[in-house]
Amino acid sequence: VKYVVLSFSLLPLILLLCLSAQAVDRSNFKTCDQSAFCKHQRELKPGQSPYRALLDTLELSDSRLTLQLINDNNKVRLLLELYRLQGNMTRVKINELKPLKPRYEVPDVLISDPITEALSVVAQDENSLVLSLGGKDQRLIVSAQPFRLDIVEGPQVLMSLNSRGLLAFEHLRARKDTSISHKISSTVGSMWDSLKSMFSRFTFLLRKGIIKEEEDKPGMWEETFKSHTDSKPNGPSSISLDFSLPGVEHVYGIPEHADTLKLKNTDGSDPYRLYNLDVFQYELHNPMALYGAVPVLISHSTDRTMGIFWLNAAETWVDISSNTAGKTVFGKILDFVQVSNEVPQTDVRWISESGLIDVFIMLGPKPADVFTQYASLTGTQSFPPLSALAYHQCRWNYNDQEDVKTVDQGFDEHDIPYDFIWLDIEHADGKRYFTWDPSNFPQPKEMLQGLMDKRRKLVAIVDPHIRVDSGYKIHNEIRSKNFYVKNKDGGDYEGWCWPGNSGYPDFTNPEMRAWWASQFAYDQYEGSMENQYIWNDMNEPSVFNGPEVTMHKDALHGVWEHRDVHNLYGLYVQKATADGLILRSGGVQRPFVLTRAFFAGSQRYGAVWTGDNAAEWGHLKISIPMCLSLGLVGISFCGADVGGFFKHPSAELLVRWYQVGAYQPFFRAHAHIDTPRREPWLFGPENTALIREAIRQRYALLPYWYQLFYNTHRTGQPVMRPLWVEYPDDVATFSIEDEYLIGKDLLVHPVTDEGATGVTAYLPGKGEVMCFSTLNGFLSLPSLKYFLWVSHIPVFQRGGSIICRKDRVRRSSSCMENDPYTLYVAPSSQGSAEGELYIDDFHTFSFEVAKQFVHRHLSFSANTLSSRNLAPDSQFSTASWIEKIVIFGGSQPSSVTLKNADGTESALEFEFGSTLAVLTLRKPGVNAAADWTVVLR
């Protein structure tokens, strides 16, 4: 693979000189030992599973197999359901056979019921059952005693479930010191008589010693953390299951954590925690929970890529162990020399507080297959308007309308483009969302119109805590409609957040979500206009005086406890908000909504950011693996607060952060209210120039970003991706997290170390690497020492690619919509290259509902460059044209001819830079939607 070294700040290209806070208060948040169910589950020892499959209970239909499992200790039966799903996936569900009351099943995350395929039994004996999973000799083996599932392909075991015997399912039961009627009569209604009979028999069996009920342990029925007591009216209900991955050393995913891309071994430490929390300036390299939770883990080896999707919205802990963890490189070499028989293996154990086991096993085998499989379940990244991919300027808070106007003018005065200015909580009247402060923002429409006149936009924050105030319309309507979350006693749940005493709308209620969406209508949200978009913060939900700064678990969403639905709350808030922005436009305009809390499926509703980071080099560095992890599990639209939310960055750190942010999907500067102002022109003219150049690079590359988001919307492939995704056989890439790919054609190695004068970039792929120096245009090195100074961002274009840019950068992306394109062609060592160009109206759903778009395939081979239509049934015209073509690494032609679709030919002007072997073709002048061919002779 060849790479072209690109610095979009200058042409000619960079000369390669050598070939070339105070941190979180952790006591506010639980450890596993402080979480009763996690502690109890972790006390279970491997290899002592009490569960047995009752093969004589098997029932098989075309799409579903069921059989019962029994816990030989307490005789409680479970129901196992197995599904073979279309696209090389398997679904495993385990629930109580006859629970005292229904257990929570996560709704609204799957985009539809997964399409099933036929299951068939190919063999059976008294202790096992073998099912066919389709092609490539894939089998699912059910072992009866102890219960175990193995997925095999030929002789190879791909994955095993309960191979360590850590399946544990705490069945719902009556508390021993209370009347069973008191515990269940309010929820079971007409089932009372039969349940009373069941309970009598259960009590008889206990007395006879035929079954052994677990002893009550601390925290099973009530749990206290700091000053908060969590009543557990349904008692212990946690679940656990282990998965073994033979041959696997590298696993990824389960965001959100401020940690390495490759997940670490948790033996002897806390597991990774998935529980959406408002964490004030999080620590780095810590498995503690943050703002979002996506229960998807991806394994990768040179043989195969697979995924595990644990569909559960309750508090969840994930333990990871590996038989190669802790071995030094020398130890691994010694194993190889001594021909060790130890096969690498990673074991993953999921523990959730409530709900049931519902797991999707995605069998790949390639990385792209896993992304497609997961997207088929939870959907793809929403396709944002082009402006959302541009630069965003934010702080807590711009003071008033005059401040907004001054900042807006500052960008023009310093010739820095931007698309969005943001307003935090201070813009609202007393932090009453959907309102404007009458003193500081008395004429919001005038402010918005001023931005619209410059083709710019604004984002205002709307948080899901509602000030309890009888003079506040939003509060009164929510209360009158009975839409608030309830406390355990049935009254409206109230907690403390930014406005003071606040109520929390029950976003799990579809009627509440529909009402919330209606409030974004222009006649409801007074002062709003079509160029105003929305930011949902604090939606974990954040409750300042609640346990772990969030909602009490025994709060009620209808019949369900908050403990069942916690990790879904932020997804529902963002969904309702996005629906509102679509609704206000009559279904025409694509929304933009940023959320802090998220779950599996949140990608369908907008963007996320990494939360309350700090102006420190470590936080800059960790933003890369944090966003890479999110991309692997479907959420491509990710970014970190440029400059750091807390503290004050040095000029060097701020410049480097802009350079990193310009090459991450969501590009926003943000700062805490107590930090000094840091608009891009406040650090001296030299640093202003560097920041301007980084932002201009982002704008020039917007056509490439937009095409990538269109593709991820269609396919689910991540926009920002680890190197191993494109080079799955290159073991050296498996742990790399300081460089990454944007799509498959740009490799970025950001500068994240203070005072750095160089980086060593690993260039994956076999064959030639193309880069530019004063000495040699072609190198064949696996890595490259890249010397730089503060103005440089190490960016490499893959040999064999064509990238479309717009080099006329204006004050906003909307001002550039009809501007011409420049094509950058980087041929492979075989002299060929290809790329794509995508164009639509950049802001509506017309691309989807009316097929109004342009999608072109660009190819270069045998000195011929051509553009071909990829969507002949689409209808769209564009005023944009091809202004320039830049071809790297070739030789000087004697002539260049443009052939139009109508057969006419014309000679093109060109110039050739022999030092760097760059051929520039000027003014082809063809429409970007037309067929054309350029021939070099």
Side-chain angles (χ1 to χ4, degrees):
V1 175
K2 292 169 141 188
Y3 279 86
V4 178
V5 179
L6 298 180
S7 173
F8 293 129
S9 58
L10 296 169
L11 277 177
L13 303 175
I14 292 175
L15 302 182
L16 296 181
L17 303 182
C18 180
L19 296 182
S20 38
Q22 121 195 119
V24 61
D25 182 356
R26 291 181 61 181
S27 69
N28 284 331
F29 305 101
K30 291 181 180 179
T31 64
C32 179
D33 278 347
Q34 293 169 318
S35 179
F37 80 91
C38 182
K39 180 180 180 180
H40 296 158
Q41 289 277 13
R42 237 183 171 200
E43 289 171 348
L44 296 178
K45 302 301 181 185
Q48 300 177 11
S49 177
Y51 289 96
R52 173 166 51 95
L54 303 175
L55 298 183
D56 59 349
T57 64
L58 183 147
E59 295 183 11
L60 179 64
S61 67
D62 287 342
S63 61
R64 175 175 178 257
L65 177 145
T66 65
L67 56 82
Q68 295 177 26
L69 310 178
I70 189 169
N71 183 328
D72 281 329
N73 288 341
N74 58 24
K75 306 306 179 186
V76 172
R77 295 196 178 198
L78 307 178
L79 180 68
L80 169 71
E81 300 175 71
L82 298 175
Y83 301 84
R84 175 186 167 202
L85 302 183
Q86 188 178 83
N88 203 21
M89 295 182 287
T90 299
R91 185 179 192 178
V92 179
K93 293 182 72 173
I94 302 176
N95 195 359
E96 292 186 62
L97 181 64
K98 295 180 179 179
L100 283 181
K101 60 179 290 187
R103 297 178 71 113
Y104 188 72
E105 294 193 52
V106 176
D108 301 318
V109 168
L110 302 179
I111 55 175
S112 62
D113 290 334
I115 299 174
T116 58
E117 296 185 336
L119 273 171
S120 59
V121 176
V122 297
Q124 183 175 359
D125 60 28
E126 61 183 12
N127 194 52
S128 64
L129 176 70
V130 181
L131 305 169
S132 173
L133 291 179
K136 292 191 175 179
D137 200 24
Q138 283 188 356
R139 300 286 186 266
L140 176 60
I141 302 172
V142 183
S143 299
Q145 190 168 10
F147 165 67
R148 169 177 170 151
L149 297 176
D150 292 282
I151 299 175
V152 301
E153 186 171 275
Q156 181 183 8
V157 178
L158 303 180
M159 185 183 301
S160 300
L161 285 66
N162 202 40
S163 62
R164 301 176 70 209
L166 294 174
L167 167 63
F169 207 109
E170 292 185 320
H171 64 280
L172 300 179
R173 67 196 86 164
R175 191 169 184 173
K176 295 176 184 177
D177 60 353
T178 60
S179 164
I180 185 172
S181 61
H182 174 75
K183 304 299 293 182
I184 64 176
S185 61
S186 62
T187 59
V188 299
S190 61
M191 295 173 61
W192 165 239
D193 289 337
S194 60
L195 284 167
K196 185 166 61 174
S197 174
M198 285 172 50
F199 182 70
S200 298
R201 176 166 175 76
F202 179 79
T203 304
F204 173 78
L205 293 173
L206 274 175
R207 290 172 179 167
K208 291 293 186 179
I210 298 172
I211 61 175
K212 300 176 182 178
E213 179 63 301
E214 294 94 338
E215 294 183 2
D216 283 354
K217 297 179 180 179
M220 292 177 70
W221 294 92
E222 187 175 271
E223 184 173 0
T224 299
F225 178 69
K226 302 189 94 172
S227 61
H228 299 283
T229 298
D230 175 22
S231 67
K232 300 182 179 181
N234 296 307
S237 59
S238 68
I239 55 175
S240 166
L241 184 60
D242 64 278
F243 300 75
S244 295
L245 302 164
V248 170
E249 291 186 77
H250 295 80
V251 290
Y252 312 89
I254 57 170
E256 181 178 37
H257 302 95
D259 210 341
T260 54
L261 176 64
K262 177 191 174 184
L263 298 174
K264 297 174 181 175
N265 189 290
T266 60
D267 290 342
S269 66
D270 257 14
Y272 286 96
R273 191 184 188 195
L274 296 174
Y275 191 60
N276 295 0
L277 293 171
D278 178 2
V279 181
F280 182 94
Q281 193 176 329
Y282 48 83
E283 286 185 0
L284 306 184
H285 303 294
N286 191 313
M288 67 184 295
L290 290 181
Y291 314 95
V294 184
V296 175
L297 180 140
I298 294 177
S299 69
H300 179 70
S301 69
T302 54
D303 293 331
R304 195 178 199 98
T305 307
M306 296 184 293
I308 300 170
F309 173 27
W310 178 267
L311 183 52
N312 190 294
E315 178 185 345
T316 297
W317 300 77
V318 185
D319 253 325
I320 296 170
S321 59
S322 170
N323 60 4
T324 60
K327 284 193 176 181
T328 63
V329 173
F330 176 77
K332 292 182 179 181
I333 293 173
L334 190 63
D335 283 348
F336 177 78
V337 171
Q338 296 177 345
V339 194
S340 171
N341 292 324
E342 185 178 46
V343 176
Q345 178 167 305
T346 296
D347 298 306
V348 181
R349 184 189 183 192
W350 302 77
I351 305 169
S352 292
E353 183 177 16
S354 63
L356 49 84
I357 293 173
D358 189 0
V359 61
F360 296 83
I361 299 167
M362 301 169 285
L363 293 173
K366 300 298 183 186
D369 299 323
V370 173
F371 303 139
T372 298
Q373 289 157 0
Y374 181 63
S376 75
L377 298 173
T378 67
T380 60
Q381 176 67 58
S382 63
F383 189 24
L386 176 68
S387 56
L389 299 177
Y391 174 63
H392 301 250
Q393 180 67 35
C394 182
R395 75 172 280 108
W396 174 23
N397 202 83
Y398 286 118
N399 300 325
D400 49 35
Q401 285 183 219
E402 188 60 32
D403 196 7
V404 170
K405 183 177 180 180
T406 300
V407 172
D408 176 69
Q409 291 174 341
F411 277 89
D412 292 335
E413 291 167 3
H414 294 89
D415 192 26
I416 301 173
Y418 89 99
D419 270 62
F420 282 88
I421 192 165
W422 291 51
L423 295 179
D424 211 314
I425 56 177
E426 312 300 333
H427 85 277
D429 181 11
K431 301 178 180 63
R432 299 172 183 89
Y433 305 110
F434 298 99
T435 71
W436 302 87
D437 184 291
S439 298
N440 296 323
F441 296 91
Q443 296 175 308
K445 283 192 174 182
E446 180 182 295
M447 175 183 63
L448 287 163
Q449 186 62 53
L451 293 169
M452 186 180 290
D453 291 343
K454 293 184 176 182
R455 304 186 73 178
R456 287 172 174 156
K457 301 171 177 66
L458 178 142
V459 171
I461 200 166
V462 176
D463 285 351
H465 49 264
I466 302 301
R467 178 168 169 165
V468 175
D469 178 353
S470 61
Y472 180 22
K473 183 190 76 167
I474 297 292
H475 164 70
N476 289 338
E477 290 199 28
I478 295 175
R479 175 161 286 179
S480 68
K481 295 176 183 294
N482 201 30
F483 282 162
Y484 277 126
V485 175
K486 305 302 178 186
N487 59 38
K488 65 179 180 178
D489 300 317
D492 287 348
Y493 179 89
E494 294 181 1
W496 200 261
C497 207
W498 294 126
N501 195 35
S502 303
Y504 291 79
D506 184 0
F507 283 90
T508 68
N509 182 346
E511 293 182 8
M512 164 60 212
R513 296 198 300 272
W515 176 86
W516 180 269
S518 73
Q519 298 308 295
F520 292 95
Y522 300 123
D523 61 350
Q524 294 294 322
Y525 191 168
E526 295 182 8
S528 65
M529 290 175 57
E530 57 267 31
N531 65 330
Q532 179 187 332
Y533 295 80
I534 302 299
W535 168 21
N536 296 144
D537 196 6
M538 317 298 288
N539 55 338
E540 292 75 26
S542 178
V543 184
F544 292 162
N545 60 337
E548 299 193 272
V549 202
T550 193
M551 189 173 287
H552 291 74
K553 288 182 175 180
D554 54 11
L556 295 172
H557 301 257
V559 300
W560 300 108
E561 286 188 285
H562 184 72
R563 79 181 73 250
D564 298 311
V565 307
H566 176 85
N567 286 344
L568 281 176
Y569 194 84
L571 176 147
Y572 278 134
V573 174
Q574 189 185 23
K575 171 179 167 49
T577 303
D579 288 347
L581 296 190
I582 296 170
L583 186 66
R584 75 175 187 184
S585 73
V588 172
Q589 301 291 334
R590 283 181 258 162
F592 169 69
V593 181
L594 179 73
T595 183
R596 190 169 71 173
F598 52 84
F599 189 66
S602 286
Q603 66 269 13
R604 306 197 298 265
Y605 308 115
V608 306
W609 91 106
T610 60
D612 294 348
N613 60 1
E616 298 174 355
W617 289 92
H619 279 266
L620 170 60
K621 190 187 298 284
I622 208 73
S623 71
I624 298 172
M626 289 181 77
C627 280
L628 287 173
S629 295
L630 282 163
L632 289 174
V633 298
I635 302 177
S636 274
F637 205 177
C638 168
D641 285 344
V642 169
F645 179 64
F646 291 105
K647 302 185 178 180
H648 186 53
S650 66
E652 181 191 4
L653 175 57
L654 185 64
V655 168
R656 289 302 190 197
W657 212 316
Y658 268 98
Q659 293 173 344
V660 172
Y663 287 93
Q664 290 181 352
F666 177 55
F667 184 22
R668 181 186 75 155
H670 187 37
H672 190 276
I673 194 170
D674 293 331
T675 62
R677 295 290 282 258
R678 60 167 90 142
E679 282 73 42
W681 50 86
L682 296 179
F683 288 74
E686 290 185 1
N687 292 311
T688 299
L690 295 171
I691 292 171
R692 178 192 300 116
E693 182 55 37
I695 295 174
R696 288 175 64 87
Q697 289 187 30
R698 173 54 165 243
Y699 276 76
L701 272 171
L702 281 177
Y704 182 64
W705 284 104
Y706 197 60
Q707 173 237 312
L708 289 177
F709 268 86
Y710 174 69
N711 283 339
T712 196
H713 177 68
R714 288 171 52 244
T715 67
Q717 306 302 305
V719 170
M720 178 180 172
R721 58 189 73 163
L723 270 61
W724 61 260
V725 168
E726 294 298 329
Y727 303 94
D729 299 326
D730 187 348
V731 178
T733 68
F734 292 3
S735 297
I736 290 178
E737 63 179 29
D738 58 355
E739 63 183 68
Y740 54 89
L741 295 166
I742 303 171
K744 66 180 187 297
D745 294 335
L746 282 185
L747 185 151
V748 185
H749 192 306
V751 182
T752 58
D753 292 313
E754 185 175 11
T757 58
V759 298
T760 299
Y762 180 77
L763 302 179
K766 298 178 181 178
E768 291 178 321
V769 173
M770 189 206 294
C771 50
F772 286 87
S773 73
T774 56
L775 301 176
N776 198 331
F778 295 91
L779 299 176
S780 190
L781 302 174
S783 63
L784 171 65
K785 182 65 176 178
Y786 185 97
F787 289 91
L788 63 140
W789 43 102
V790 75
S791 62
H792 291 163
I793 311 172
V795 179
F796 303 80
Q797 183 174 337
R798 183 180 64 85
S801 67
I802 302 173
I803 286 179
C804 302
R805 291 163 37 100
K806 287 192 174 184
D807 289 335
R808 297 188 189 181
V809 175
R810 303 185 190 272
R811 66 186 174 203
S812 75
S813 65
S814 296
C815 295
M816 299 167 60
E817 287 179 358
N818 293 321
D819 280 351
Y821 291 87
T822 296
L823 311 184
Y824 285 80
V825 183
S828 67
S829 56
Q830 289 76 39
S832 62
E834 61 180 2
E836 295 179 31
L837 174 61
Y838 177 82
I839 307 170
D840 59 20
D841 64 19
F842 302 114
H843 62 97
T844 77
F845 287 104
S846 294
F847 78 98
E848 206 162 45
V849 299
K851 292 192 174 181
Q852 293 184 3
F853 62 90
V854 171
H855 195 190
R856 311 289 302 179
H857 179 260
L858 306 170
S859 63
F860 181 74
S861 181
N863 285 329
T864 299
L865 176 66
S866 62
S867 174
R868 176 174 59 86
N869 192 359
L870 286 173
D873 58 341
S874 66
Q875 301 293 324
F876 189 73
S877 61
T878 177
S880 295
W881 71 100
I882 308 301
E883 181 179 41
K884 187 168 62 176
I885 299 169
V886 179
I887 303 174
F888 301 122
S891 57
Q892 182 171 354
S894 58
S895 66
V896 179
T897 303
L898 170 68
K899 296 182 179 181
N900 292 298
D902 61 5
T904 60
E905 297 186 9
S906 59
L908 291 184
E909 297 178 8
F910 65 90
E911 62 182 54
F912 183 73
S914 58
T915 302
L916 297 177
V918 177
L919 175 65
T920 303
L921 313 181
R922 302 200 178 277
K923 299 180 180 178
V926 290
N927 188 274
D931 292 337
W932 52 266
T933 302
V934 169
V935 180
L936 312 179
R937 293 187 174 88

